[in-house]
Amino acid sequence: MGFAKENLDFNKNEDKMKLKISKMNNILHEIYKGGGEGKIKKHHDKGKLTARERIDALLDKNTDHIEIGAFAGYEMYTEHGGCPAGGVVVVIGFVSARLCVIVANDATVKAGAWFPITGKKNLRAQEIAMENKLPIIYLVDSAGVYLPMQDEIFPDKEHFGRIFSNNAKLSAMGIPQIAAIMGSCVAGGAYLPIMSDESLIVEKTGSIFLAGSYLVKAAIGEVVDNETLGGATTHCEISGVTDYKCKDDKECLATIKDMISRLGDKPKAGFNRAKSKSPSQSISNLHGAFPIQRTDNYDVKNIINLLVDDSKFTEYKSDYGKTIVCAYARIDGWSVGIVANQRQVVKTKKGEMQFGGVIYSDSADKAARFVMICNQKKIPLVFLQDVSGFMVGSRSEHGGIIKDGAKLVNAMSNSVVPKFTIVMGNSYGAGNYAMCGKAYDPRLIVGWPTAEIAVMGGAQAAKVLLQIEMASLKSKGEEISKEKEEELFNRIKKKYDDQTSPYYAAARLWVDAIIDPVQTRKWISIGIAASNQNEDVKSYKVGVIQT
C-alpha cells in the first residue's frame, strides 16, 4: 500500500477534504463562543468560568478527550436566537486518571435554559455513562426549561423528566454522580444535583430552589432575595441540601478532582489490548485516500491500513462477499473486528460487475457470521460505513437478499460487544441499519465531513419526488415545460441535499460528532476504553435467523 504525493486523484481528494475540514473548524470556532463574546465577558465579570473553561480545568493535562454533540442545535431554533451546542457541553475525558462523562450547562446561551435538543443531549450523556458505567459530573448553571418551547421539552417520555429518572437509575447501578451548583439551578432542574450522590455549591454565584424570588412573591406573597432563599449558606448550613461549600469555581473544580481521585477500582470487561503502534504511513493520508466524488472508486482496505496499528489486519473470507470487508486488527492497541463497505467495483468469476457500496447476499451472510464470531471472542466491532443499500432487482430478490439482509441486521442488533460506527461516505436506506446506524445503539457514532445520511442519494430521491410532484400538477391541468421541470428538480434536490448533510445529522444528534478523519483512531480508542469500564458483558443470543 502506498500513496504517491504526485498522484493527481489523491491530491484532488486531499484538497477537497481539507476544504471540508476547514469549513467544519470554522463552524466549530463560532460554536465554541457560546452566546458570544459579550455574554462571556459578563460571565467573567461575575467571577465565573465558562462551561468550556470549567471542563478544561477538570480534565487531566496532556490526556485525550472527546466532545459529544458540539454541533447539536446547529442552524436550529433560529427564530429563538439559536442554541449553540444545544446550550450544554458534554465531554468524555480523564479526571484524576479516571475516565468520566462531564456535562456542563453553558449559561452564556439563554442563561443555560433547556431547549428540546438540550434535553436530548443530556439524555445522550447519561446513556453513555450508563452503557459504560462511567462516573458522571454535572456542572450546573441553568435557568431551567426554555418556556417558549416548554411543550417540546417538558412532558414526554424522553423529555426533561427522564433526566431525573436516569439520575435514580444511575445511582441504583452504582455509577458515581457528582453535581456542582455553579450558577442558577431552578425549578424541576433543582432535582438533578440533589439526586446525584454528592453535591457542591459555589458561594455567591450558586443558587438552588424550586421557585425563585419573583415566583415566590407571586405565589405566596413572601419577599426574599435569591441568596437567602437558596444560596450556599442556606443549603450548607440550614437546609443541609448540599454537601460542600466552595468559595469560587476553581475551588469547586479542585474539590471534584479530589473526590474522583478517591474512587475505588471495579472489575473491567477485559477487552484485549496490546502495546499501541501507529499505522505504517501517516494517518493524514486519509485526507487524500478517501474520494470526495461518490462515483469514484477506492479500495477500503487502504483506509483500514491507515487506521490500524502497524497497518496490519487479518481479513476474514477475503475472496467471498467482496462488497463488505471483514477483518481483525488493532486500533491503539485494542483488538477490534472491522466491518467495512467496499465501494470499489469488483468483477465476479462470472464476469459480472458488483457496484461498490451495495450489500449483496453473500456480503450480508459473511458480515453476519463475522459479527457473531466477534461476539463469541469478545472483540469490539468497528463499522466503516459507505453504503448505498442492499442490491435490488429480480436476481437479488430470488436469491433471498431480504433473508440475508435480515440475518445481518439480527446478528448486529443483538451484539453484546461494544459497537462503534464511522460514517465515511454514504449511509443510505437499509444499509444504514445493517451497518449499525444510530437506531442500533453504537456506543459512539461519528461522521467524517464527507458523510451523507438519508433514505437514498439526493439525485435519486429528487427524481422520485419530482415524478410525484409533476403527476400532481398535471392532474390539476398544469402544463410542465422542460424549464419548469428542471427548476422543480433543482429545488427538490437542494432541499433533500441539505437534509443529507452531516451538519443536519449532527445538529439533531443522529451522530455524536463530525470529525477530521485523522481523529478516528482517538475516538475508537477512547470509546473502547470507556466500554472496558463496564464488566457486565452479557451472553450473546441472536434469536431466530433463517439460513
Side-chain angles (χ1 to χ4, degrees):
M1 180 205 66
F3 299 101
K5 289 295 182 183
E6 63 274 10
N7 182 292
L8 186 59
D9 289 336
F10 180 95
N11 291 338
K12 284 181 178 179
N13 289 330
E14 185 177 45
D15 289 344
K16 290 175 181 176
M17 179 68 87
K18 285 183 175 179
L19 283 173
K20 287 181 176 289
I21 292 168
S22 177
K23 174 187 174 180
M24 177 187 76
N25 288 333
N26 287 337
I27 295 171
L28 282 173
H29 179 71
E30 292 303 312
I31 288 171
Y32 292 161
K33 292 178 182 177
E37 299 291 350
K39 293 286 179 65
I40 291 172
K41 183 178 184 304
K42 286 181 180 178
H43 214 64
H44 287 161
D45 289 344
K46 294 176 184 176
K48 298 166 69 174
L49 300 173
T50 65
R52 293 182 184 280
E53 288 168 342
R54 288 166 176 168
I55 290 174
D56 286 344
L58 264 185
L59 291 170
D60 295 345
K61 304 302 179 190
N62 303 315
T63 59
D64 281 336
H65 66 274
I66 55 177
E67 181 174 349
I68 303 296
F71 288 98
Y74 177 65
E75 293 188 336
M76 296 170 66
Y77 315 119
T78 52
E79 68 276 24
H80 297 277
C83 187
V88 62
V89 184
V90 175
V91 163
I92 304 173
F94 291 91
V95 178
S96 298
R98 190 69 169 255
L99 203 55
C100 298
V101 178
I102 307 170
V103 181
N105 299 115
D106 187 349
T108 70
V109 179
K110 293 287 193 296
W114 287 53
F115 283 68
I117 198 67
T118 317
K120 188 173 183 179
K121 187 170 174 180
N122 274 268
L123 289 172
R124 176 64 178 139
Q126 289 182 319
E127 179 184 42
I128 290 169
M130 285 177 170
E131 285 180 331
N132 302 295
K133 292 195 174 179
L134 296 181
I136 184 165
I137 300 166
Y138 306 99
L139 306 180
V140 184
D141 195 345
S142 171
V145 166
Y146 183 62
L147 290 178
M149 302 187 75
Q150 65 86 27
D151 61 320
E152 297 181 49
I153 179 61
F154 173 67
D156 210 347
K157 182 178 178 180
E158 298 295 327
H159 283 178
F160 196 56
R162 191 73 171 196
I163 303 292
F164 316 131
S165 173
N166 284 346
N167 284 142
K169 290 175 181 177
L170 283 155
S171 182
M173 293 170 70
I175 298 170
Q177 297 178 88
I178 297 172
I181 302 155
M182 309 183 79
S184 296
C185 188
V186 185
Y191 287 106
L192 184 148
I194 309 312
M195 292 189 73
S196 298
D197 302 327
E198 294 181 279
S199 60
L200 308 87
I201 187 167
V202 178
E203 290 185 278
K204 297 180 182 178
T205 57
S207 59
I208 177 170
F209 31 64
L210 294 181
S213 56
Y214 293 124
L215 184 54
V216 166
K217 183 178 180 181
I220 64 172
E222 181 184 0
V223 178
V224 61
D225 63 88
N226 283 340
E227 183 65 23
T228 303
L229 186 65
T233 299
T234 294
H235 286 309
C236 285
E237 298 182 20
I238 300 172
S239 73
V241 165
T242 50
D243 306 310
Y244 305 91
K245 181 165 63 174
C246 306
K247 67 179 181 180
D248 56 24
D249 280 12
K250 290 182 180 178
E251 183 181 282
C252 181
L253 298 167
T255 304
I256 293 172
K257 293 184 77 165
D258 179 69
M259 294 163 74
I260 294 293
S261 73
R262 299 176 188 280
L263 294 176
D265 285 332
K266 292 186 176 181
K268 302 290 190 291
F271 299 123
N272 184 278
R273 192 177 196 184
K275 184 178 179 181
S276 176
K277 296 180 181 179
S278 298
S280 62
Q281 289 198 44
S282 171
I283 195 171
S284 65
N285 282 330
L286 284 170
H287 293 155
F290 188 81
I292 304 299
Q293 293 296 327
R294 294 304 199 258
T295 53
D296 290 346
N297 294 326
Y298 70 101
D299 190 346
V300 78
K301 294 176 191 178
N302 289 335
I303 303 297
I304 295 171
N305 272 319
L306 291 168
L307 288 174
V308 303
D309 289 14
D310 206 25
S311 298
K312 291 181 179 177
F313 63 87
T314 302
E315 189 174 356
Y316 173 76
K317 289 184 180 288
S318 60
D319 296 321
Y320 179 74
K322 291 188 176 182
T323 61
I324 291 183
V325 173
C326 299
Y328 299 106
R330 291 189 182 275
I331 292 178
D332 196 25
W334 294 106
S335 173
V336 297
I338 296 173
V339 182
N341 300 115
Q342 178 66 282
R343 194 199 295 179
Q344 189 175 30
V345 173
V346 178
K347 208 165 189 178
T348 68
K349 291 179 180 178
K350 295 180 180 179
E352 300 159 335
M353 302 303 285
Q354 292 186 333
F355 295 96
V358 176
I359 302 174
Y360 285 78
S361 285
D362 53 358
S363 300
D365 178 72
K366 176 177 80 171
R369 187 169 179 82
F370 183 72
V371 166
M372 289 187 278
I373 292 170
C374 285
N375 273 271
Q376 187 184 52
K377 293 181 176 181
K378 207 161 93 170
I379 298 175
L381 287 158
V382 175
F383 292 85
L384 301 180
Q385 281 198 13
D386 186 11
V387 57
S388 300
F390 286 88
M391 191 59 189
V392 297
S394 60
R395 180 177 296 180
S396 292
E397 297 294 356
H398 295 170
I401 186 67
I402 296 175
K403 176 186 66 179
D404 291 315
K407 187 188 303 182
L408 173 54
V409 172
N410 192 329
M412 182 274 303
S413 300
N414 286 296
S415 176
V416 295
V417 295
K419 306 186 294 274
F420 303 91
T421 302
I422 315 298
V423 185
M424 304 184 301
N426 298 338
S427 181
Y428 294 160
N432 169 282
Y433 301 162
M435 292 294 293
C436 195
K438 178 70 171 179
Y440 294 85
D441 299 319
R443 294 294 177 96
L444 295 171
I445 176 171
V446 299
W448 289 358
T450 45
E452 290 186 1
I453 301 174
V455 172
M456 61 184 74
Q460 187 181 1
K463 287 175 183 176
V464 173
L465 293 169
L466 176 64
Q467 290 174 28
I468 295 169
E469 186 158 342
M470 285 182 64
S472 174
L473 292 172
K474 286 178 180 177
S475 71
K476 296 174 184 176
E478 292 190 32
E479 291 291 327
I480 309 296
S481 65
K482 267 288 180 192
E483 292 77 13
K484 177 70 173 175
E485 183 179 337
E486 187 175 339
E487 179 192 333
L488 282 171
F489 175 82
N490 290 333
R491 176 170 56 79
I492 293 168
K493 185 176 183 301
K494 183 185 183 305
K495 182 180 178 182
Y496 197 89
D497 284 344
D498 289 343
Q499 292 179 355
T500 67
S501 157
Y503 298 102
Y504 191 92
R508 289 153 182 82
L509 290 174
W510 300 347
V511 293
D512 292 316
I514 307 170
I515 64 168
D516 183 333
V518 302
Q519 298 296 312
T520 304
R521 276 172 58 89
K522 179 178 80 171
W523 273 78
I524 294 170
S525 179
I526 289 179
I528 299 176
S531 302
N532 201 41
Q533 304 306 305
N534 185 354
E535 78 283 5
D536 185 21
V537 180
K538 298 178 177 65
S539 60
Y540 185 51
K541 299 177 182 178
V542 295
V544 177
I545 293 184
Q546 292 187 359
T547 56

